[in-house]
Amino acid sequence: MAAIITHPDTRYTTPEGMAIRAPFHAPYTQILTPEALYFIRALHLRFNPHRLKLMDERKQVQVKIDAGWKPGFLVETEIIRSSDWRIPALPADLADRRVEITGPVDRKMIINAMNSGANVFMADFEDSNSPGWDNNMNGQVNLRDAINKTISFTNEAGKEYLLNEKTATLFVRPRGWHLEEKHVEINGEPISASLFDFGLYFFHNAKTLLKKGSGPYFYLPKIESYKEARLWDDIFVFSQNYCGVPYGSIKATVLVETILASLQLHEILWELKDHSAGLNCGRWDYIFSFIKKFRNIPGHIFPDRSEVTMTVPFMRAYTQLVIQTCHRRGAPAIGGMAAQIPVKNDDEANRSALEKVKADKLREVKDGHDGTWVAHPGLVLLAKEVFDEHMKTPNQIHVKREDFHCTEEELLAVPQGAITEKGLRHNINVGILYLESWLRGNGAAAIYNLMEDAATAEICRTQVWQWIHGHAQLDDGREITLSLYEDMRDDEIENIRHAVGSKAYQDGFYVQAICLFNKLVVQDKWEDFLTLSAYELILANDDKKVCATIDEGETRETSMLVSLDKEKAG
């Protein structure tokens, strides 16, 4: 399929050298104004070459790791770690961030999240957003309307949703450095998705936010080095100058969700210094990153996902190091996401879920975190009650955690535990279900009473890939071979079809999801992010093309399974 979708009827007006190859919708022209697009073009021309260079450096680091190099604290930046410095004081609306809610940028979600009682809402263009053109552009429209207090939503039953007078402070998470917005080309080159998401939001909303006593606040995902943080800071400085916004207005919290970033925490805060709003423990991507980076190294096989909890040694080391580092530098350290969500029509399951969330938040506040994440409005009150009881001040930056000492070995310690048939089947099942949801346009999927996003799906497919290619064994002694995987895959496909029903199965994107998941786990060639291949299907779906080429009905399903079994690794 073509990487770029051509729509001959596109009517977007663009600067010279820019082309928008996407379905035309008149409301989007309010966001894709000539002035905004000139700004986007300026960002691309100035910063994309550096971004591409940094992406190449990621590949070079992986080559070193595969050859036996073990990452550690950087010798060349020791002076930054040992020096006494702090980030500037934060704006008043960032002093207390004890409960933050996150979610995609659809209209109803934005209203409910901002009304939820949480201190912060992180509107997400990344892991919980399926990045189709309409999702991304409607998200920009929705955020502009929310900031201007003109947003509303009416559901099918006629219920109207409006913003309350008091709402959560707004953060926005653009997509990561590795992603591109292929609907938009500049001089024949796709634009960085990070620059596209950030640029449109900042251009349209920064001055309005400042007038309202807030500011343009961001979460920065999947950073792997202080150099990548430096690039963001350069972009912030340029953007503020370009748009006539005071220096330092932008504040950004970095998600520490890669194993390499945990070894450069001081350096990342230093690079963003005047624009820093602390660090956050992006726990699920962090687990994915650890497995991914050391996937080819003997002795680095991870157990079932369910056994890699926040209490295993390497996760305890990482989260406490984030707290200690942030507080030494006067920055907030925000905790992670508990994946549980409220369970309807099952009191016992709901009680168990809430107890797990409470235990998670209690551990975080006692460790010294200044806030935490939830994925559902129904969990805001529970998290707030835990933090209110144990954090009587707006934050815990005064808790320096000088009792904690962390070594490189502790950060890189492989968790122990079993690989079970249940764990393997669960990864296959959830991986397929999430990909189907993502391809259908929903990036935040409630699956088996957990809120799954791209990060947890990455763990699912990464573990299956590692177990097959690393010749791992189940706890009953069976080797996880391609044949064993295929047998379980076929069983789980039948379980999924039975669970969702034949009509939903045929009408959905299950065949595409199964084919993609299978490709990602059986081929020898590793793909760094499942969203890279999945995005190609999004592009095709935006162009109203169907990627499945197999006949409908049972013939289609039979042919698909035969095709899967014939695939050769690589």
Side-chain angles (χ1 to χ4, degrees), residues 448-460:
Y448 306 128
N449 301 324
L450 297 176
M451 186 60 71
E452 307 282 5
D453 66 8
T456 49
E458 290 282 26
I459 296 173
C460 291

Side-chain angles (χ1 to χ4, degrees), residues 403-457:
D403 60 303
F404 174 70
H405 301 280
C406 181
T407 65
E408 297 163 343
E409 290 73 23
E410 288 170 316
L411 288 172
L412 300 177
V414 179
Q416 302 301 304
I419 303 172
T420 66
E421 178 176 333
K422 180 181 178 182
L424 175 55
R425 288 183 177 276
H426 185 76
N427 278 344
I428 296 168
N429 187 293
V430 170
I432 291 170
L433 287 175
Y434 179 79
L435 279 173
E436 193 280 333
S437 176
W438 197 89
L439 293 172
R440 195 167 17 93
N442 176 28
I447 302 174
Y448 306 128
N449 301 324
L450 297 176
M451 186 60 71
E452 307 282 5
D453 66 8
T456 49

Side-chain angles (χ1 to χ4, degrees), residues 462-476:
T462 302
Q463 287 203 304
V464 176
W465 187 95
Q466 185 188 44
W467 292 341
I468 293 172
H469 292 81
H471 307 288
Q473 289 188 336
L474 296 174
D475 59 350
D476 60 14

Side-chain angles (χ1 to χ4, degrees), residues 68-224:
W69 174 75
K70 183 173 288 188
F73 299 119
L74 302 178
V75 174
E76 63 268 27
T77 56
E78 194 280 331
I79 187 64
I80 293 175
R81 296 193 299 279
S82 62
S83 299
D84 186 18
W85 54 269
R86 292 167 64 89
I87 70 167
L90 293 172
D93 60 345
L94 298 185
D96 191 334
R97 297 169 59 181
R98 65 188 61 212
V99 179
E100 302 191 352
I101 187 170
T102 75
V105 288
D106 64 88
R107 209 161 179 87
K108 183 181 175 183
M109 177 69 203
I110 289 173
I111 296 171
N112 284 342
M114 294 190 75
N115 287 344
S116 67
N119 302 76
V120 165
F121 167 49
M122 187 200 77
D124 189 19
F125 284 98
E126 214 226 8
D127 273 359
S128 66
N129 175 56
S130 176
W133 180 250
D134 287 337
N135 278 0
N136 289 337
M137 293 312 304
N138 282 327
Q140 294 284 352
V141 172
N142 296 340
L143 290 171
R144 179 206 59 186
D145 291 351
I147 290 166
N148 287 289
K149 297 280 188 165
T150 59
I151 192 171
S152 64
F153 175 79
T154 303
N155 66 15
E156 294 178 354
K159 180 180 179 181
E160 187 176 22
Y161 296 77
L162 298 170
L163 280 184
N164 296 336
E165 184 62 30
K166 179 175 174 55
T167 61
T169 298
L170 183 61
F171 274 68
V172 167
R173 175 163 68 170
R175 283 170 283 176
W177 280 135
H178 61 289
L179 295 169
E180 295 175 333
E181 178 49 73
K182 293 189 176 182
H183 295 94
V184 181
E185 288 183 319
I186 299 174
N187 297 333
E189 184 179 54
I191 189 172
S192 157
S194 303
L195 296 178
F196 185 76
D197 297 341
F198 161 80
L200 289 178
Y201 177 77
F202 179 81
F203 185 86
H204 287 292
N205 301 298
K207 291 181 179 179
T208 303
L209 286 163
L210 289 167
K211 287 178 182 177
K212 291 177 175 289
S214 187
Y217 304 150
F218 297 91
Y219 260 103
L220 306 180
K222 294 180 176 58
I223 284 176
E224 296 195 11

